[in-house]
Amino acid sequence: MLSPNDKKLEKLDPFYRPSVSKQKTSAEIISEARNALRTVRTQRPLTPREDQRKLFGSASSRTPENRPPSSFSVHASSFESSDSKPISGARLSPLELKPKAPASPATEEDPCPSFPKPPVDPAKIRRISSARARLFRAASQGALLPDRTLPPTQPKKRVESKETVMMGDSMVKINGIYLPESNALGHLKSHPLQLTYDGDFSEIKEQEMFKGATPLPSHLRSGGDQGKRRSRASSCPSSSDQSRLDTKAGSKADLQEKDTEIEVNEVFWNTRIIPILHELEKKENIEMLCAACTQLHHTLEEGSMLGNRFKRRTILLKTLYKLVDVGSDLLSLKLAKIILALKVSGKNLLNVCKLIFKISRSEKNDSLIQNDSILESLLEVLRSEGLQANTEAFLYCMGAIKFISGNPGFLNEMIGKGAVEILLNLIKQINEITEKSGTCLPNSGHLLVQMTATLRNLVDSPLARSKLLSISALPQLCTVMGQYTGDKDVCTNIARIFSKLTSYHDCCVALANYSRCYALFLNLINKYQKKQDLVVRIVFILGNLTAKNNQAREQFCREKGSFPTLLSLFHTFYELDLHSRKHVEEGDERPPARRPPAQAEDVLIKLTRVLANLAIHPRVGPAIAAHPRIVGLLLATLEYKSIDDCEELVINTTATINNLSYYQVKNSVIQDKKLYIAEFHKFMIALLDAKHQDICFSACGVLLNLTVDKDKRVILKEEGGIKKLVDCLRDFGPTDWQLACLVCKTLWNFSENITSASSCFGVETTDTLLALLSSFLDEELALDGSFDQDLKNYHRLHWETEFKPVAQQLLHRIQRHHTFLEPLPVPSF
């Protein structure tokens, strides 16, 4: 005899059927029902690593004749002897200074004394390098500049000269070797190099010139007064001309300063640069040449002679170009670094970028590139040179950067030197040029392949992802996709970038909020429907966008042709997979269990995931459930695919059907095919044996919706479903409150008209179920260390508020209808 309270419990409706008597709010009903809907996870498509470093990989859509070469030779003859910046086309303004006829010399009878020359501004002296400032001060004060100059108190750090002589009590150091004074004198006579005296805090420097080199100015070699060198007469000014004469005096001082600086440059060139060039022309061995190049770069930097304004730059470049033929990768990198620092342009810029590209193709040279800071020089090219005038040079410059970006050891350095910002600035330039002109910049597609491949490597870094979000990079990349839809390589690389980015919540939200991306992705699917490597990534991205964002689900479905596009893609790859399966069966070759999914299977895995996610939306789900072709393909997939064939595809397809079976609408295809679906439910019961948590969850969801219909409940018992559900509760319940809820609700629906627990569930199953439920009600949810504290609190809260009330109801019903048998007495003998 049941108590009134027990009778009330017996009259409870099955789960997911609205009850008028309970008067639950719509929010409560939806919240309860949504426990049966779950998004599914999948792995990101793998991008295989290329065996060789090339501009375009083996999977490129470009034919060999339609792409720039990755193999070529670079020789000294490849460079042009004269290098100048390209003509800008801008007209220069005339100089304000006008040539004046020289005034007549002043005579002794001239009553007006000549104006003194103004002293040089100390601030201007400081702008000159320390090496030249010493000479400049001496010249501006009218002092003689001797052949032997004293060193500054704190000289700049630089590579030591190869030949040093210490006289008196000191030894003589030549090329790093200390020699007695008598031996050193003979050596110096045959080697006209820099001479340095290091005795008693004094230093002597002497230099013999190359043949044809400009000798030192006479006043610097033999002494002289600047007033005698450039004597100028002046006339007595009137009071009205005083202001004009003051201006002239200032101009004369500026000219004097410039002349003095030129003279100082001559001294620095002859005493510091020419000895190093002499060493380079010897070509004695690679080690000495590399050391001389390092010294040359430091010395040029010290003398402020880098850039393209140094008048002896052409002579310097000719010497460097000749050394390219030596054929040493280490030497070539050092040469390239100096050549780029001298701001070459045109053909020479292209060839030096090709030289670095050629060296960077070998992974063994990565350490050389890192040690010589070549990356900084390459990024400077992209930062400072013009894009439209140097597209080909940029191509090989970016190719080298792409290669080294594949080495994880470079990531932090690249990001720290602004690589992300530089690349996005170039992408923005290309977008603006294309939008303005209406056509793509010539060869820009080749360049974009290198740039997007580099970004694909960089986004592995959290810092790079943060930078991309801060500079709104995702819309720019979408714009490139839209403008270069016909370039499959560019679109594939950007899809690879988005595949990585949307695996992270903040990046996924940013892309989902860019509403134009959905139409763009649908357009790419339609254009490249049979190009698996691109399509599988687009569908993976859509799965990420719709996984946890209801607005993204709705936005995607509102796009014109969204469902026809997905349906067409589903049918295409279903046929491809079915054809490949038949081909395998005809050859009597069974694929090994748990093998990686084939290409067609991988697209189907990602596509069914998108459908499962879309089905969660309360307006989209019923529309899919009422679509006969989509439901038909889902059921057909489960008919010919087994767990051993492709476990992940079975899981996703089952999850999709689970989510669709929730909608008990009149035009639901699942409701219209009751008999067929009933047979299908037998398969769901079989899935409970998979011992896979996600598979069991999806199968339980379908079976829960099945038990709402009283006519189908018997299927659970006939196919052994009750015992399998209890096994799932035992195996996964302690760690998955959602799965535990589904099992308990399914058993509750099944036992609606219970009269005896043993007859309903079976004796053994009833005892197991009683023990499990009693144990779970006394325990907390068991979670491992992979959950953070907030997530643990979330799951434990739902264990208490969602699972335990359901488990308590089921336990109470079983106890009320369970007959406890008294143990039989033990017979005596």
Side-chain angles (χ1 to χ4, degrees):
M1 191 75 180
L2 298 179
S3 66
N5 290 334
D6 294 337
K7 290 181 180 179
K8 288 181 181 179
L9 286 173
E10 292 307 304
K11 293 179 181 179
L12 290 176
D13 287 333
F15 284 99
Y16 296 162
R17 175 174 294 174
S19 173
V20 178
S21 60
K22 290 182 182 179
Q23 295 297 316
K24 286 188 176 181
T25 66
S26 58
E28 290 174 335
I29 296 172
I30 292 174
S31 176
E32 182 182 83
R34 289 296 169 196
N35 288 333
L37 305 184
R38 179 185 279 184
T39 59
V40 291
R41 298 179 295 271
T42 188
Q43 294 181 344
R44 181 169 54 85
L46 178 65
T47 300
R49 184 176 180 181
E50 295 289 342
D51 295 334
Q52 295 181 339
R53 289 181 170 184
K54 297 180 180 179
L55 283 174
F56 305 95
S58 58
S60 173
S61 61
R62 287 164 166 75
T63 58
E65 59 272 13
N66 291 326
R67 60 189 184 195
S70 294
S71 299
F72 43 77
S73 299
V74 179
H75 301 289
S77 58
S78 305
F79 295 86
E80 295 177 343
S81 57
S82 60
D83 182 89
S84 59
K85 302 296 286 184
I87 298 174
S88 64
R91 188 171 182 178
L92 299 179
S93 302
L95 297 176
E96 294 182 359
L97 295 177
K98 298 180 180 179
K100 297 284 186 178
S104 58
T107 61
E108 294 180 359
E109 289 82 10
D110 194 346
C112 297
S114 60
F115 286 93
K117 297 178 181 179
V120 180
D121 186 0
K124 294 181 179 180
I125 295 179
R126 286 194 297 270
R127 287 199 296 266
I128 306 175
S129 68
S130 60
R132 291 183 288 162
R134 183 174 65 255
L135 300 175
F136 180 71
R137 284 195 297 270
S140 64
Q141 294 170 2
L144 298 178
L145 293 178
D147 291 331
R148 301 174 179 180
T149 60
L150 296 177
T153 304
Q154 294 181 344
K156 284 188 177 182
K157 183 178 180 182
R158 61 182 177 86
V159 178
E160 291 186 356
S161 174
K162 289 295 180 182
E163 304 205 358
T164 304
V165 178
M166 295 176 291
M167 300 182 178
D169 296 333
S170 303
M171 296 293 290
V172 178
K173 181 181 179 183
I174 300 175
N175 288 337
I177 303 175
Y178 287 93
L179 299 175
E181 181 179 343
S182 58
N183 295 342
L185 293 176
H187 180 84
L188 289 174
K189 290 179 180 178
S190 61
H191 293 75
L193 300 174
Q194 182 174 342
L195 181 67
T196 305
Y197 175 60
D198 289 332
D200 296 332
F201 304 99
S202 63
E203 181 179 349
I204 301 176
K205 296 182 180 179
E206 293 182 355
Q207 176 64 49
E208 297 184 17
M209 303 297 114
F210 286 154
K211 292 182 179 180
T214 304
L216 293 175
S218 58
H219 79 283
L220 295 177
R221 286 187 284 107
S222 57
D225 193 318
Q226 285 187 357
K228 296 180 181 179
R229 178 176 57 84
R230 186 185 288 113
S231 60
R232 288 193 174 96
S234 60
S235 59
C236 181
S238 63
S239 58
S240 61
D241 293 336
Q242 185 63 44
S243 176
R244 180 173 57 83
L245 291 177
D246 289 343
T247 303
K248 285 185 177 181
S251 299
K252 289 179 181 180
D254 292 339
L255 290 173
Q256 179 185 1
E257 178 183 333
K258 292 180 181 179
D259 290 343
T260 306
E261 185 173 349
I262 292 173
E263 293 166 359
V264 172
N265 279 336
E266 295 288 339
V267 175
F268 192 85
W269 169 265
N270 291 324
T271 58
R272 301 289 302 281
I273 305 299
I274 285 186
I276 304 175
L277 298 183
H278 185 74
E279 284 291 317
L280 291 174
E281 289 191 340
K282 289 181 182 180
K283 300 181 181 179
E284 292 184 358
N285 60 65
I286 300 299
E287 185 177 354
M288 290 186 64
L289 289 174
C290 291
C293 284
T294 301
Q295 183 182 4
L296 177 62
H297 190 278
H298 291 168
T299 306
L300 289 171
E301 186 176 19
E302 179 186 344
S304 299
M305 293 182 174
L306 297 175
N308 63 344
R309 297 185 179 276
F310 178 46
K311 74 174 185 177
R312 296 190 182 274
R313 174 171 166 270
T314 301
I315 300 173
L316 188 60
L317 287 171
K318 284 181 179 179
T319 304
L320 299 175
Y321 294 155
K322 291 177 183 178
L323 295 173
V324 172
D325 288 339
V326 173
S328 165
D329 289 346
L330 177 59
L331 177 61
S332 295
L333 287 175
K334 292 184 177 295
L335 293 171
K337 186 176 181 179
I338 301 175
I339 294 171
L340 288 178
L342 291 171
K343 299 294 182 182
V344 295
S345 60
K347 184 178 179 181
N348 291 340
L349 177 60
L350 170 60
N351 282 317
V352 73
C353 289
K354 280 187 170 183
L355 181 62
I356 299 175
F357 172 87
K358 183 181 177 182
I359 296 169
S360 65
R361 289 194 62 190
S362 175
E363 290 187 39
K364 68 180 182 181
N365 289 330
D366 285 358
S367 59
L368 302 180
I369 293 173
Q370 194 166 32
N371 293 338
D372 267 319
S373 301
I374 297 298
L375 174 62
E376 187 171 359
S377 301
L378 293 174
L379 291 175
E380 180 59 27
V381 170
L382 302 179
R383 183 189 292 112
S384 60
E385 299 296 334
L387 169 62
Q388 293 180 269
N390 300 287
T391 307
E392 190 176 4
F394 275 34
L395 172 66
Y396 287 101
C397 178
M398 271 308 314
I401 294 175
K402 177 188 72 173
F403 294 154
I404 59 181
S405 71
N407 185 333
F410 280 91
L411 284 185
N412 290 335
E413 180 184 358
M414 292 184 71
I415 297 169
K417 293 184 183 300
V420 174
E421 293 86 347
I422 292 172
L423 294 183
L424 261 295
N425 181 55
L426 288 176
I427 288 175
K428 187 177 181 181
Q429 288 184 47
I430 293 174
N431 287 339
E432 290 174 350
I433 293 171
T434 304
E435 290 174 358
K436 191 173 182 180
S437 64
T439 58
C440 297
L441 186 68
N443 296 320
S444 58
H446 300 326
L447 177 59
L448 281 168
V449 172
Q450 314 308 313
M451 296 166 63
T452 51
T454 304
L455 282 174
R456 180 195 66 203
N457 294 332
L458 293 179
V459 295
D460 288 331
S461 166
L463 180 57
R465 295 194 295 269
S466 175
K467 286 178 177 289
L468 288 173
L469 290 178
S470 66
I471 58 180
S472 302
L474 274 61
Q476 290 292 337
L477 290 172
C478 287
T479 302
V480 173
M481 257 188 163
Q483 293 175 344
Y484 289 80
T485 304
D487 195 324
K488 177 179 172 292
D489 293 345
V490 173
C491 293
T492 301
N493 278 349
I494 297 178
R496 286 169 174 164
I497 294 172
F498 287 160
S499 293
K500 289 186 175 183
L501 290 178
T502 54
S503 298
Y504 301 92
H505 177 70
D506 51 352
C507 297
C508 189
V509 171
L511 184 59
N513 290 338
Y514 185 67
S515 58
R516 296 183 181 180
C517 72
Y518 303 102
L520 174 63
F521 294 151
L522 288 170
N523 183 34
L524 289 171
I525 291 175
N526 287 322
K527 185 176 181 62
Y528 297 103
Q529 188 167 107
K530 293 187 178 180
K531 301 297 182 181
Q532 188 271 349
D533 58 335
L534 175 56
V535 167
V536 72
R537 288 170 173 83
I538 296 295
V539 180
F540 175 76
I541 295 165
L542 290 173
N544 290 343
L545 297 180
T546 57
K548 297 181 180 179
N549 192 324
N550 229 24
Q551 183 179 354
R553 296 166 188 151
E554 185 171 355
Q555 182 70 38
F556 173 78
C557 293
R558 283 184 176 180
E559 293 294 338
K560 184 178 180 180
S562 56
F563 279 113
T565 297
L566 294 183
L567 179 61
S568 176
L569 186 66
F570 199 162
H571 185 268
T572 297
F573 281 90
Y574 169 81
E575 292 292 336
L576 288 173
D577 188 46
L578 194 62
H579 177 74
S580 63
R581 177 185 175 87
K582 290 180 179 178
H583 181 72
V584 170
E585 289 178 350
E586 289 173 0
D588 293 328
E589 296 179 5
R590 299 299 299 173
R594 301 295 186 264
R595 59 177 174 80
Q599 290 186 348
E601 285 178 339
D602 206 17
V603 174
L604 293 175
I605 288 169
K606 274 57 177 179
L607 181 56
T608 51
R609 175 182 179 234
V610 173
L611 293 173
N613 295 346
L614 294 176
I616 297 176
H617 194 284
R619 289 190 296 274
V620 177
I624 300 176
H627 203 298
R629 293 186 63 189
I630 293 179
V631 175
L633 284 170
L634 290 169
L635 297 176
T637 300
L638 286 182
E639 282 183 349
Y640 84 95
K641 279 293 179 187
S642 66
I643 294 292
D644 291 335
D645 289 336
C646 186
E647 180 181 285
E648 192 174 3
L649 178 56
V650 172
I651 293 173
N652 290 2
T653 307
T654 307
T656 306
I657 294 175
N658 165 45
N659 292 353
L660 294 177
S661 65
Y662 159 74
Y663 299 102
Q664 306 293 321
V665 292
K666 293 182 179 180
N667 58 347
S668 171
V669 178
I670 296 179
Q671 294 298 318
D672 291 341
K673 297 184 177 181
K674 291 184 178 181
L675 180 61
Y676 186 83
I677 296 299
E679 294 298 320
F680 171 71
H681 284 133
K682 296 178 182 179
F683 175 72
M684 291 292 106
I685 295 172
L687 288 179
L688 296 176
D689 286 328
K691 301 302 180 184
H692 191 293
Q693 192 166 340
D694 286 336
I695 294 179
C696 290
F697 179 89
S698 298
C700 283
V702 176
L703 294 174
L704 171 60
N705 295 328
L706 168 70
T707 56
V708 174
D709 190 339
K710 295 180 180 180
D711 297 335
K712 297 189 179 74
R713 293 173 183 172
V714 67
I715 297 175
L716 273 179
K717 193 168 186 180
E718 290 177 353
E719 300 296 328
I722 299 299
K723 183 179 184 305
K724 293 174 182 178
L725 284 171
V726 174
D727 290 342
C728 285
L729 182 64
R730 180 195 62 212
D731 296 337
F732 305 118
T735 59
D736 191 335
W737 65 268
Q738 290 177 306
L739 177 56
C741 277
L742 286 184
V743 172
C744 289
K745 290 177 180 180
T746 303
L747 295 175
W748 175 268
N749 288 354
F750 176 78
S751 61
E752 181 181 9
N753 298 320
I754 186 174
T755 57
S756 169
S758 298
S759 61
C760 182
F761 299 114
V763 177
E764 183 179 350
T765 303
T766 301
D767 292 340
T768 303
L769 190 55
L770 285 170
L772 284 174
L773 293 174
S774 299
S775 174
F776 289 164
L777 289 172
D778 292 334
E779 295 177 358
E780 290 186 353
L781 185 65
L783 298 172
D784 57 29
S786 62
F787 294 87
D788 60 32
Q789 192 58 46
D790 289 340
L791 201 55
K792 285 182 179 179
N793 293 338
Y794 169 81
H795 284 292
R796 284 170 178 163
L797 175 63
H798 283 76
W799 174 264
E800 298 292 332
T801 60
E802 298 288 338
F803 167 70
K804 284 192 175 182
V806 176
Q808 183 66 56
Q809 279 186 329
L810 181 61
L811 177 62
H812 186 73
R813 171 181 282 182
I814 296 172
Q815 288 175 338
R816 291 298 179 185
H817 293 88
H818 184 48
T819 302
F820 294 93
L821 298 178
E822 293 293 333
L824 295 175
V826 179
S828 58
F829 297 95

